[in-house]
Amino acid sequence: MLVDSVIDFLFTFQSDVNTVAFADESGNLLYSGSDDNLCKVWDRRCLSTGEAAGVLTGHLHGITHIDSRGDGRCFISNGKDQAIKMWDIRKMTSNADGSENRVPAWDYRYSRYPQQYKQQKHPHDQSVATYRGHSVLRTLIRCYFSPTYSTGQKYIYTGSYDASVCIYDVVSGSQVAKLQGHHHLAVRDCSWHPSDPMLVSSSWDGQVARWSRTRSKQDTCELD
């Protein structure tokens, strides 16, 4: 089925929008993230105002990527503030000022995240969990929930500028694995096989890596 070329809704943003995702298979709700530091929830059934159905505040710098859990309620976002956050849209508010309480301006394309910003927290943080340990620098690093079929979405995984793939436990927030095999350049994207214990990652080193778990429970890497 071809997508009709007619635009049935149009939302206006004041900052660059870096990511968007449908909340679930119904296609009614969307999540977006932009350089205003905010995650927004949009409802296609309420198009008359062109305003977001709700706003979620907590990141200190722009949003690089969003992935939905697929339940129409929870999603995760990766931010230039070196953190992944999990959100529950039942905590969203009708409006928020993304300009307040942000740390001073910093351009992720040219310099490393200032050390003094790493432990700062937004005073009105609405996220339900925060995951740290990876790095976002020079490119929009993506993050995902692990597959439902093989893992029950019990992990969150992301690329990292330090040439690794980081895997976090959803509940505890701890980093349970750090896959290293690329050659000292950013891993921008990665994808977990929907049913097999295998993951692939792409890096600025010009290679695609395939990660698998051996019988000895050691992570192995093959570079293509």
Side-chain angles (χ1 to χ4, degrees):
M1 179 179 179
L2 295 177
V3 177
D4 196 304
S5 61
V6 176
I7 298 176
D8 65 349
F9 58 95
L10 180 64
F11 304 133
T12 301
F13 295 80
Q14 300 300 318
S15 301
D16 290 350
V17 182
N18 299 318
T19 178
V20 65
F22 281 105
D24 55 25
E25 293 183 354
S26 72
N28 291 321
L29 294 180
L30 301 97
Y31 308 134
S32 69
S34 69
D35 281 343
D36 62 5
N37 308 348
L38 301 175
C39 293
K40 295 183 179 181
V41 181
W42 305 88
D43 192 334
R44 294 181 61 238
R45 296 162 294 187
C46 306
L47 307 179
S48 58
T49 64
E51 297 294 329
V55 178
L56 289 157
T57 303
H59 278 293
L60 296 173
H61 278 106
I63 315 301
T64 72
H65 190 255
I66 280 177
D67 186 44
S68 173
R69 179 177 270 176
D71 57 5
R73 189 181 68 198
C74 292
F75 67 96
I76 54 174
S77 60
N78 212 351
K80 297 174 186 176
D81 56 2
Q82 317 298 296
I84 294 173
K85 287 185 174 292
M86 182 183 291
W87 310 91
D88 187 325
I89 67 172
R90 293 173 296 184
K91 298 187 67 174
M92 68 184 184
T93 55
S94 59
N95 199 3
D97 183 355
S99 64
E100 70 171 352
N101 302 310
R102 71 168 66 183
V103 295
W106 163 73
D107 195 326
Y108 79 106
R109 296 171 296 176
Y110 305 114
S111 61
R112 292 188 178 275
Y113 198 66
Q115 187 67 32
Q116 64 268 29
Y117 298 166
K118 290 185 177 180
Q119 300 306 315
Q120 292 193 30
K121 182 178 179 180
H122 197 293
H124 306 300
D125 190 353
Q126 295 169 289
S127 65
V128 296
T130 302
Y131 309 85
R132 298 183 186 276
H134 60 290
S135 58
V136 177
L137 180 65
R138 295 183 63 190
T139 187
L140 301 179
I141 303 292
R142 302 184 175 110
C143 64
Y144 304 94
F145 285 102
S146 64
T148 302
Y149 177 80
S150 58
T151 71
Q153 294 183 311
K154 67 185 294 184
Y155 303 112
I156 288 170
Y157 64 105
T158 179
S160 180
Y161 184 74
D162 65 0
S164 66
V165 177
C166 297
I167 303 175
Y168 302 98
D169 183 275
V170 167
V171 176
S172 70
S174 61
Q175 188 179 105
V176 297
K178 188 166 187 175
L179 310 180
Q180 297 175 302
H182 284 286
H183 301 301
H184 310 294
L185 290 171
V187 174
R188 185 179 190 188
D189 205 5
C190 44
S191 182
W192 199 311
H193 193 282
S195 57
D196 294 341
M198 182 177 69
L199 186 150
V200 292
S201 57
S202 59
S203 168
W204 282 3
D205 62 7
Q207 296 181 312
V208 173
R210 182 178 62 190
W211 306 87
S212 58
R213 178 59 63 94
T214 64
R215 290 184 179 180
S216 63
K217 295 186 178 181
Q218 294 295 315
D219 295 310
T220 62
C221 174
E222 296 180 11
L223 296 174
D224 299 325

